[in-house]
Amino acid sequence: MTTLFVYLLSLLQFLTSSDDVTLVFAGDAMQHDRQIAAAKKGNTYDYSDCFKYVSDYISAADYAVVNFECTLGGRPYKGYPCFSAPDEYATALKDAGFDLFLHANNHCLDRRDAGLGRTLDMLDSYGIPHIGTYRNTAERERCNSFITNVKGLRIGILNYTYGTNGIEIQRDVRVNYIDRKQIADDVAQLREQSPDLISVCIHWGNEYQLVENAIQRDLANYLEDLGVDLIIGGHPHVIQPMEIRHSKKWDKDILVVYSLGNFISAMRTGDTRGGALVKVVVERTKSKPQIKSASYKLVYVQTPVDGHNYQLIPTDRTDLLRGENKTHFQTFVNSARKIFNKYNKSVAEDSSVVVVRTPIPLVPANDSLD
């Protein structure tokens, strides 16, 4: 009876609302040693600087998703190769506007089973929804078919990873690894709950390669055949092409994003210094919801200047760039646009200006770097 009531309520909300639904997906949220050091303030960690110029763009979406590529494994905090971020990092991402954390990625077991368990405990304590990893089989069976109600639109989201850097599960935690039969079963189980859209967020591909590989293309075709609406990729730490394609089998458009690149990190090669936020507008129709449009917004990670932390800078805020960041920004943006202009299909750059509603003082002009 409860399930029927929830479904009827969602249907009523859907039918009585004429608004489009906007979704935003972000790439890999990393925590390297240099980021941890930059955030340290005595015995606490302050990330308020990091997201202030993009948080309004993220919060403006009806629902926002980020790949949480680290653990909250506790002290000692550590970056690469086995990440354990300060707990404050998770709350900063939540405060930036993210509604869901993806955790099926190659670093989710960096602190082994105990670290994964503590990560989920902390996210739960902060009220942060998460998918892709689970404390045990029973929890996976209960929580894996994740559906969120966004303005009456029921959106199902699944999350998988190619591996965990050779670290094996020791006891009973569960990680969603890429397994075609399992994914097919999960999509079928999710569809039994009558979602309006299904998104599969997937950790795949070759690191630092700006174009997807054959394995990614083949798996994307497989997911299309299953009827998935949104295929959102991460892991390569650089952007890769995105496209809207039409599925003849399902008679609908679907979005494929091969890699969103880094959302925030301390990586320093040209193509790793930023990533893309992809914005998806879903249109309500009398027959079924459908993708109305998709666009991307490039964001660059500015290295610390004058005591500030790492900062995410959108392309329309070049006035915020300081020191060598001006050159690195242009290198990253030019390379990303070159790939997107060549390979993207029906996914253009979002030219809207990121408006910061709360007045924030500019970083003092100083070309020195920490």
Side-chain angles (χ1 to χ4, degrees):
M1 182 66 69
T2 302
T3 302
L4 178 61
F5 175 77
V6 171
Y7 175 73
L8 292 175
L9 178 62
S10 299
L11 181 62
L12 178 63
Q13 290 175 325
F14 175 79
L15 292 175
T16 57
S17 176
S18 59
D19 294 338
D20 293 335
V21 171
T22 303
L23 312 174
V24 164
F25 294 86
D28 304 335
M30 314 288 290
Q31 262 301 280
H32 291 95
D33 289 328
R34 291 184 295 277
Q35 293 171 274
I36 296 171
K40 186 172 175 58
K41 305 293 182 184
N43 292 324
T44 63
Y45 293 81
D46 182 3
Y47 294 93
S48 59
D49 237 12
C50 296
F51 310 112
K52 63 185 181 182
Y53 298 118
V54 296
S55 62
D56 283 342
Y57 186 85
I58 296 165
S59 299
D62 296 310
Y63 201 77
V65 181
V66 65
N67 175 42
F68 191 64
E69 192 157 357
C70 58
T71 72
L72 301 176
R75 297 176 187 268
Y77 301 133
K78 189 73 179 70
Y80 183 84
C82 291
F83 293 89
S84 183
D87 299 335
E88 293 91 334
Y89 182 53
T91 57
L93 286 165
K94 177 184 179 182
D95 292 343
F98 288 108
D99 301 290
L100 177 68
F101 284 17
L102 309 172
H103 200 232
N105 55 63
N106 59 308
H107 288 288
C108 66
L109 284 176
D110 279 0
R111 287 291 177 92
R112 309 309 194 265
D113 291 36
L116 190 153
R118 186 183 185 281
T119 301
L120 303 187
D121 289 344
M122 296 309 299
L123 294 180
D124 285 345
S125 73
Y126 298 139
I128 300 173
H130 51 86
I131 60 172
T133 62
Y134 307 93
R135 296 174 180 87
N136 49 53
T137 299
E139 183 176 71
R140 186 191 188 279
E141 292 176 350
R142 185 174 67 253
C143 302
N144 188 62
S145 293
F146 180 86
I147 293 182
T148 183
N149 187 318
V150 184
K151 294 167 60 176
L153 195 72
R154 288 169 53 80
I155 301 174
I157 308 177
L158 298 167
N159 179 212
Y160 304 90
T161 180
Y162 75 93
T164 48
N165 293 342
I167 301 174
E168 296 182 357
I169 292 172
Q170 299 167 312
R171 296 190 295 274
D172 54 356
V173 302
R174 291 294 304 274
V175 175
N176 279 356
Y177 293 106
I178 295 172
D179 176 280
R180 292 195 178 201
K181 183 181 184 306
Q182 183 65 66
I183 293 174
D185 290 344
D186 290 346
V187 170
Q189 186 176 14
L190 192 61
R191 186 165 281 116
E192 290 177 359
Q193 299 182 48
S194 302
D196 296 301
L197 291 173
I198 295 177
S199 173
V200 171
C201 300
I202 193 160
H203 215 64
W204 60 1
N206 295 336
E207 290 185 335
Y208 318 121
Q209 188 175 94
L210 289 165
V211 179
E212 79 281 357
N213 61 33
I215 295 174
Q216 289 170 278
R217 288 192 292 271
D218 187 59
L219 186 51
N221 292 339
Y222 179 76
L223 293 171
E224 175 187 344
D225 194 57
L226 293 178
V228 171
D229 299 274
L230 308 174
I231 302 166
I232 310 294
H235 172 63
H237 300 304
V238 296
I239 60 92
Q240 290 181 345
M242 50 188 76
E243 64 173 308
I244 292 179
R245 60 169 73 166
H246 188 76
S247 170
K248 293 182 179 179
K249 176 179 178 179
W250 295 88
D251 189 25
K252 64 181 179 181
D253 288 342
I254 69 169
L255 172 66
V256 180
V257 176
Y258 285 109
S259 175
L260 288 169
N262 287 330
F263 178 57
I264 189 167
S265 79
M267 291 186 175
R268 292 183 284 191
T269 57
D271 292 320
T272 65
R273 287 179 177 266
L277 296 168
V278 67
K279 180 167 67 176
V280 186
V281 180
V282 181
E283 182 180 26
R284 302 168 186 272
T285 67
K286 292 182 179 179
S287 56
K288 60 183 178 180
Q290 61 185 13
I291 297 172
K292 182 178 182 179
S293 66
S295 59
Y296 68 87
K297 172 71 72 174
L298 292 174
V299 290
Y300 167 80
V301 183
Q302 176 156 253
T303 53
V305 180
D306 295 333
H308 286 263
N309 203 333
Y310 287 81
Q311 294 179 318
L312 283 172
I313 308 297
T315 51
D316 50 272
R317 293 304 307 270
T318 55
D319 58 299
L320 299 170
L321 297 169
R322 297 293 180 262
E324 295 180 4
N325 286 288
K326 298 173 185 178
T327 300
H328 295 316
F329 169 89
Q330 207 57 59
T331 299
F332 162 72
V333 170
N334 288 346
S335 179
R337 284 176 173 161
K338 181 179 179 180
I339 291 296
F340 286 153
N341 290 341
K342 182 176 181 179
Y343 294 104
N344 278 17
K345 298 178 182 178
S346 302
V347 184
E349 185 166 6
D350 183 354
S351 60
S352 64
V353 175
V354 177
V355 178
V356 179
R357 290 187 294 269
T358 303
I360 298 174
L362 297 181
V363 178
N366 189 321
D367 283 349
S368 64
L369 289 178
D370 289 349

